[in-house]
Amino acid sequence: MMKLKNGTGRVAGAAVVVSKTNPAEGFSPHTKCPNENTGVYSESYDPTMAHCNVTVWNPLGNGLSYEEFDFPIFSLNDDNDTEAIRQCYLGYNLGVNGSTPEYPLCAMQLFSHMHAVTDTATCMRRNDINFSINPEMVCDPLGDYNVWGSTKPLNNTAKGHKEGESMVIAATRLDSRSFFWDVAPGAESAVSGFVTLLAAAHALHNVTQEAHPPRTILYTFFQGEAFDYIGSSRMVYEMDHKQFAIDLDNVHSVVEIGQVGLRSSSELWVHSDPVSRRNNSINVSSLIDTLKSAAMNLNVTMSVPSFSQPLPPSSFQRFLRARPIPGVVIADHQSAFSNRYYESIYDKAANLNLTYPANLTEDEQLEFVTETANALADLATVVARALYKQAGGADAQLINIKAEPKIVTQMLYGFLVRSNNTWFQALISYFKDSLIIKPSSLPQLYSYVWVQGVASPNSTERQGFCVRSSVRLSKAVSPAFDLLQEYSSKDYSTWTESRWKFIKARIFLVASHDLEMLTLGVGVGILLSSLLLTYIISSKADILFSSGREPANATY
């Protein structure tokens, strides 16, 4: 790709046929030090650990996603389209026995017009100066929604500090990215983490309803973390400015689940911040001990890195930028990532060794418990027990907390193999938006969603039902945009995406250069002849088109 970029300038576009097998040597188009400028480590917060000076987290990163290419680059995944292009090329563009191919030749044209130009500040300023009735926006801030929920419903209408509330935050990320838009499976980078946290939340549900611990567990799923922590920075900003359901004073501690799908044997690593641990009031050791004890009698070993190093790229870093808070990040790597395909199109099911026996139907694959599912279920059990203990729960209840491997395997299959399956279909909402009920005399404690439900035996009709939940959505748009209007901010993400026209491609045959010149010459000749003929006819119009005058005494 860099040769094409720095070559003769004759490249009009590139079409990449994605291999079905992952490259053995690994491939990561991200940087070697992800999100290095927006994490906690900086010139003011232990500069010796900034910019991956201690640990290079993604050594295989080549930075390809951050290069600027002035020609469109398409990925081809459909076998039929790929084969049609290949046959067109082989049939017309390869000469016989090494000879020069003869015309016509096969050609491909890519359409991918982007409106945005230069940097975010310029692009957003052009949005603001458009005064037409129907303004055409050229770019938009990257954004989505964070998902959060709690073991005890919170009054979401009252923002800011909740007196007497203490929260243990269980965090993970939802998003992933790759070189190509809309092709980012993120199996290890994202899915392994949020599936584990979902399974832990499921395992905790019954226990927290029957014997709620003194502290509330707040589950947070952040969007946009691959783009300089969009989701976590927004939530922390809102907490700090009394715009969220709780504030930072309510936060007791943070447990984050990072990349956890590629552990070797049974070992996982518990990372913490060496800078905040120097503060005697920040008790991280007890949290680590809680995780270690929760792993007893399970096929999980919670270890601590053997040398002092910063936190890996994680949402917890944005909390530490606001204030010192006890917290840890659980990952399958001691130092550099185990993931050799970080933020690439190859970070898919195969990267997690997610395989199924041959001849299984789709519904049978959905129910088949893989080794990966068992491993993540064990970790989810550890996390759930540790969260319950960290929230002040009784030891006697820990034995009742156990994640279900079947739930984990269904989520892995749905998110990484086939999303259009019977289990996911049962959970889809009937409506585009959730049902929101706001009694005027009561605080808003719950959200309501009407889901399709499962189909009856021997019937296609589903038994829908309403779900009452404490799960909420909150904006995951960087504060640099709609809160601060600082498009060149150094503290918050300033990623935008271009508006674009319809993306398409076509293949066709191109005639020889001589034939094209002949066609052009004939066309020019016809044009000049028609102009000359038109001039002659126009100048003699009174003769050519005159009709004889009728006699004055003509009668009818």
Side-chain angles (χ1 to χ4, degrees):
M1 290 305 303
M2 297 307 297
K3 288 181 179 179
L4 293 178
K5 174 184 176 180
N6 301 322
T8 62
R10 298 179 59 189
V11 178
V16 180
V17 180
V18 179
S19 172
K20 291 185 180 296
T21 58
N22 290 0
E25 67 277 10
F27 175 79
S28 174
H30 209 281
T31 60
K32 296 181 183 297
C33 189
N35 293 0
E36 63 176 306
N37 297 314
T38 48
V40 67
Y41 302 103
S42 62
E43 301 305 320
S44 60
Y45 193 92
D46 202 331
T48 61
M49 293 189 175
H51 309 296
C52 293
N53 288 333
V54 177
T55 302
V56 178
W57 296 107
N58 187 35
L60 292 177
N62 56 37
L64 188 65
S65 291
Y66 293 82
E67 294 289 340
E68 180 182 359
F69 294 90
D70 57 2
F71 52 85
I73 306 169
F74 284 22
S75 67
L76 303 177
N77 297 308
D78 184 83
D79 290 338
N80 293 331
D81 290 344
T82 304
E83 186 60 25
I85 296 170
R86 180 180 287 107
Q87 291 303 321
C88 184
Y89 174 81
L90 295 176
Y92 292 93
N93 291 24
L94 287 183
V96 179
N97 297 326
S99 62
T100 303
E102 297 180 358
Y103 286 94
L105 297 177
C106 184
M108 186 174 185
Q109 188 174 21
L110 308 178
F111 299 88
S112 178
H113 177 75
M114 299 288 175
H115 293 290
V117 293
T118 63
D119 55 15
T120 288
T122 304
C123 195
M124 294 299 292
R125 186 172 65 248
R126 292 191 177 186
N127 281 348
D128 295 337
I129 62 176
N130 200 326
F131 299 111
S132 65
I133 298 177
N134 296 311
E136 182 174 325
M137 309 295 284
V138 293
C139 63
D140 299 289
L142 277 186
D144 207 295
Y145 287 93
N146 296 324
V147 183
W148 61 272
S150 55
T151 53
K152 184 177 72 176
L154 298 174
N155 182 359
N156 196 42
T157 56
K159 306 296 184 181
H161 187 70
K162 295 287 191 297
E163 195 65 37
E165 286 281 6
S166 181
M167 301 279 179
V168 177
I169 293 181
T172 190
R173 56 180 284 191
L174 287 175
D175 68 298
S176 60
R177 65 172 295 187
S178 77
F179 185 81
F180 295 107
W181 177 81
D182 207 28
V183 187
E188 161 73 344
S189 63
V191 177
S192 65
F194 72 69
V195 162
T196 300
L197 185 53
L198 285 171
H202 182 264
L204 280 168
H205 177 263
N206 291 336
V207 175
T208 54
Q209 298 307 305
E210 296 170 1
H212 197 282
R215 300 186 186 95
T216 300
I217 301 172
L218 183 70
Y219 307 105
T220 56
F221 300 82
F222 295 118
Q223 282 277 16
E225 298 302 274
F227 295 91
D228 293 319
Y229 306 119
I230 292 175
S232 56
S233 65
R234 175 59 177 258
M235 183 174 286
V236 170
Y237 179 91
E238 291 182 345
M239 287 182 177
D240 206 24
H241 291 78
K242 315 299 181 185
Q243 299 175 10
F244 194 70
I246 63 169
D247 67 2
L248 290 173
D249 290 330
N250 292 123
V251 179
H252 173 269
S253 52
V254 177
V255 176
E256 180 173 352
I257 305 175
Q259 301 182 90
V260 292
L262 294 176
R263 58 185 168 122
S264 59
S265 64
S266 63
E267 195 167 35
L268 286 164
W269 299 91
V270 183
H271 298 268
S272 59
D273 173 41
V275 180
S276 60
R277 291 188 67 173
R278 298 170 193 159
N279 187 337
N280 293 330
S281 64
I282 306 301
N283 188 1
V284 180
S285 298
S286 63
L287 177 53
I288 295 175
D289 292 339
T290 298
L291 283 164
K292 288 183 176 180
S293 63
M296 294 180 63
N297 302 321
L298 291 170
N299 188 29
V300 180
T301 303
M302 307 301 287
S303 302
V304 178
S306 58
F307 60 96
S308 179
Q309 65 177 354
L311 286 167
S314 52
S315 305
F316 180 45
Q317 292 198 29
R318 292 302 304 194
F319 285 85
L320 288 177
R321 280 186 63 138
R323 65 178 63 186
I325 297 173
V328 296
V329 177
I330 303 172
D332 56 20
H333 52 89
Q334 180 182 11
S335 53
F337 293 161
S338 302
N339 187 4
R340 294 177 298 131
Y341 308 102
Y342 183 72
E343 307 296 26
S344 80
I345 56 177
Y346 300 110
D347 188 9
K348 51 190 178 182
N351 193 28
L352 294 184
N353 297 318
L354 203 62
T355 57
Y356 301 90
N359 303 321
L360 288 185
T361 65
E362 292 175 358
D363 287 339
E364 289 172 339
Q365 288 180 348
L366 177 64
E367 302 292 329
F368 181 80
V369 179
T370 62
E371 292 183 6
T372 303
N374 276 320
L376 292 181
D378 284 343
L379 174 58
T381 300
V382 173
V383 171
R385 291 176 178 177
L387 288 173
Y388 189 75
K389 182 67 175 176
Q390 187 72 2
D395 290 343
Q397 293 288 344
L398 297 181
I399 192 66
N400 299 321
I401 300 174
K402 183 173 176 58
E404 295 184 17
K406 182 179 177 181
I407 292 289
V408 176
T409 205
Q410 287 174 325
M411 287 192 287
L412 290 174
Y413 181 82
F415 287 117
L416 294 175
V417 181
R418 184 179 177 85
S419 59
N420 186 16
N421 60 73
T422 55
W423 192 60
F424 270 21
Q425 289 169 359
L427 304 177
I428 294 176
S429 173
Y430 266 144
F431 307 100
K432 181 179 180 181
D433 299 311
S434 300
L435 298 173
I436 300 177
I437 300 177
K438 297 181 179 179
S440 57
S441 59
L442 296 175
Q444 186 181 341
L445 298 178
Y446 299 99
S447 61
Y448 299 83
V449 181
W450 190 272
V451 297
Q452 293 188 134
V454 297
S456 302
N458 302 321
S459 173
T460 58
E461 187 173 345
R462 296 181 177 274
Q463 302 296 319
F465 57 93
C466 185
V467 176
R468 187 184 75 172
S469 173
S470 60
V471 175
R472 303 284 183 184
L473 299 179
S474 63
K475 267 190 175 183
V477 178
S478 171
F481 294 103
D482 55 348
L483 296 177
L484 301 175
Q485 300 290 307
E486 296 179 1
Y487 303 140
S488 299
S489 172
K490 300 296 182 183
D491 297 320
Y492 297 100
S493 170
T494 55
W495 284 93
T496 53
E497 63 176 338
S498 174
R499 292 280 182 98
W500 60 82
K501 293 183 178 179
F502 185 74
I503 296 175
K504 62 180 180 178
R506 63 173 182 169
I507 55 175
F508 52 91
L509 297 180
V510 177
S512 68
H513 182 71
D514 293 339
L515 181 58
E516 288 178 340
M517 291 298 100
L518 176 61
T519 303
L520 177 63
V522 171
V524 171
I526 293 174
L527 174 63
L528 294 177
S529 300
S530 61
L531 291 176
L532 178 61
L533 182 60
T534 302
Y535 172 76
I536 294 174
I537 294 175
S538 177
S539 62
K540 304 297 183 180
D542 55 337
I543 299 175
L544 296 175
F545 302 108
S546 63
S547 56
R549 297 176 67 108
E550 294 181 347
N553 59 354
T555 59
Y556 298 92

